[in-house]
């Protein structure tokens, strides 16, 4: 039997009142996602298909060592930032030697450090590139036009190529011009002069440096675009601490 009552708006049935109570009970709380995911966004603000972004943001601060299909592990993150700092430092020191206002003696000292650190960068770079080849690249963090995806992948491979090409060409250029390389006490002996090889290595070293500069602009610009304009996880998943 249906029981009828009165409200300020007119008669209402007990069944309708119960339905209204159930609807209120299942209405999403505006704080549902901020409580569950630690984000200041309500359930009504979530665009369709974007739930995966919130799930990715629930990562812990401790990353696994190996990569997954969608994220980079701790080893890859350390490799990325160590090599990035080393390559930028080498690029800056090379530009300082070529265009800086320093005396010959100062340039000679900088050159010694440049060569020694370059050999270390080569050794670590072999590990860095090998790790990336074995692990592969994680899937794109967001959907993007095909040309952007292709440009991103080419930029990454170009950067990896310069990690090996720059220090290796610098080393070959030096030793085949008849000069030894002092790596903090470890001497790499000079070889017999081979002019064509030394010249080819010198040209490779120079062009690789300018290529690195251009690729860095593309890489950093793209990462900042993803972070501040697209607001996806591209940059955040390479941070040493996950968001």
């Amino acid at each position: 039997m249906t029981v009828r009552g009165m409200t300020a708006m007119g008669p209402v049935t007990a069944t309708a009142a119960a339905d209204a109570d159930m609807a209120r009970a299942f209405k999403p709380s505006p704080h549902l996602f901020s409580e569950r995911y630690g984000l200041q966004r309500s359930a009504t603000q979530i665009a369709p298909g974007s739930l995966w972004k919130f799930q990715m943001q629930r990562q812990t601060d401790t990353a696994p060592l190996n990569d997954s299909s969608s994220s980079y592990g701790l080893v890859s993150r350390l490799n990325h930032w160590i090599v990035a700092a080393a390559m930028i430092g080498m690029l800056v020191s090379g530009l300082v030697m070529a265009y800086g206002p320093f005396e010959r003696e100062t340039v000679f000292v900088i050159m010694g450090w440049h060569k020694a650190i370059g050999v270390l960068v080569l050794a670590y770079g072999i590990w860095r590139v090998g790790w990336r080849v074995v692990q592969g690249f994680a899937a794109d963090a967001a959907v993007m036009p095909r040309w952007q995806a292709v440009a991103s992948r080419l930029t990454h491979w170009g950067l990896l190529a310069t990690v090996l090409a720059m220090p290796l060409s610098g080393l070959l250029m030096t030793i085949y011009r008849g000069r030894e390389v002092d790596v903090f006490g470890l001497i790499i002996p000079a070889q017999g002069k081979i002019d064509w090889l030394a010249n080819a290595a010198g040209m490779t070293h120079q062009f690789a440096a300018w290529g690195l500069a251009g690729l860095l602009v593309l890489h950093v610009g793209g990462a900042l675009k993803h972070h501040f304009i697209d607001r996806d996880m591209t940059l955040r998943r390479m941070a040493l601490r996950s968001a």
Side-chain angles (χ1 to χ4, degrees):
M1 182 178 69
T2 300
V3 180
R4 297 182 177 275
M6 294 292 295
T7 68
M9 299 298 294
V12 64
T13 64
T15 302
D19 291 342
D21 290 340
M22 291 180 65
R24 284 193 294 272
F26 285 96
K27 182 179 179 180
S29 166
H31 303 293
L32 173 63
F33 278 80
S34 63
E35 293 169 358
R36 185 171 181 180
Y37 295 103
L39 303 170
Q40 298 301 314
R41 293 189 64 178
S42 67
T44 58
Q45 293 176 305
I46 297 175
S50 64
L51 181 58
W52 65 273
K53 294 182 181 179
F54 294 94
Q55 292 172 336
M56 289 185 70
Q57 289 174 329
R58 298 184 69 192
Q59 299 178 48
T60 62
D61 286 338
T62 303
L65 293 179
N66 293 327
D67 300 347
S68 70
S69 61
S70 61
S71 63
Y72 292 105
L74 183 60
V75 174
S76 289
R77 300 180 191 199
L78 288 173
N79 283 346
H80 177 274
W81 293 110
I82 291 172
V83 171
M87 294 299 289
I88 292 172
M90 298 298 288
L91 181 61
V92 170
S93 65
L95 293 174
V96 165
M97 286 187 292
Y99 304 105
F102 298 106
E103 299 294 334
R104 182 182 179 88
E105 292 76 13
T106 303
V107 172
F108 184 79
V109 172
I110 297 174
M111 178 66 77
W113 283 91
H114 184 85
K115 292 178 180 179
I117 296 174
V119 173
L120 299 181
V121 170
L122 176 59
Y124 193 87
I126 294 172
W127 152 256
R128 158 83 168 109
V129 174
W131 177 264
R132 178 53 49 228
V133 170
V134 171
Q135 293 288 311
F137 288 99
D140 295 330
V143 177
M144 65 182 75
R146 179 172 175 78
W147 70 268
Q148 287 188 19
V150 171
S152 173
R153 192 64 72 238
L154 290 176
T155 300
H156 280 112
W157 280 115
L159 287 169
L160 290 175
T162 62
V163 168
L164 299 180
M166 282 189 64
L168 180 59
S169 61
L171 177 61
L172 294 176
M173 174 179 62
T174 300
I175 62 176
Y176 284 104
R177 282 180 178 167
R179 302 168 187 166
E180 65 181 23
V181 178
D182 184 352
V183 187
F184 305 108
L186 175 64
I187 304 299
I188 299 177
Q191 304 298 309
K193 288 186 177 183
I194 304 178
D195 290 337
W196 70 265
L197 182 55
N199 292 336
M203 290 182 62
T204 301
H205 196 69
Q206 181 178 0
F207 286 118
W210 289 113
L212 173 62
L215 290 170
L216 281 174
V217 171
L218 290 175
H219 186 61
V220 174
L224 293 177
K225 172 187 175 293
H226 279 288
H227 190 69
F228 292 106
I229 298 177
D230 300 335
R231 296 185 180 277
D232 58 40
M233 296 295 295
T234 299
L235 178 60
R236 213 170 305 175
R237 67 180 179 175
M238 189 53 79
L240 293 179
R241 289 176 64 87
S242 302

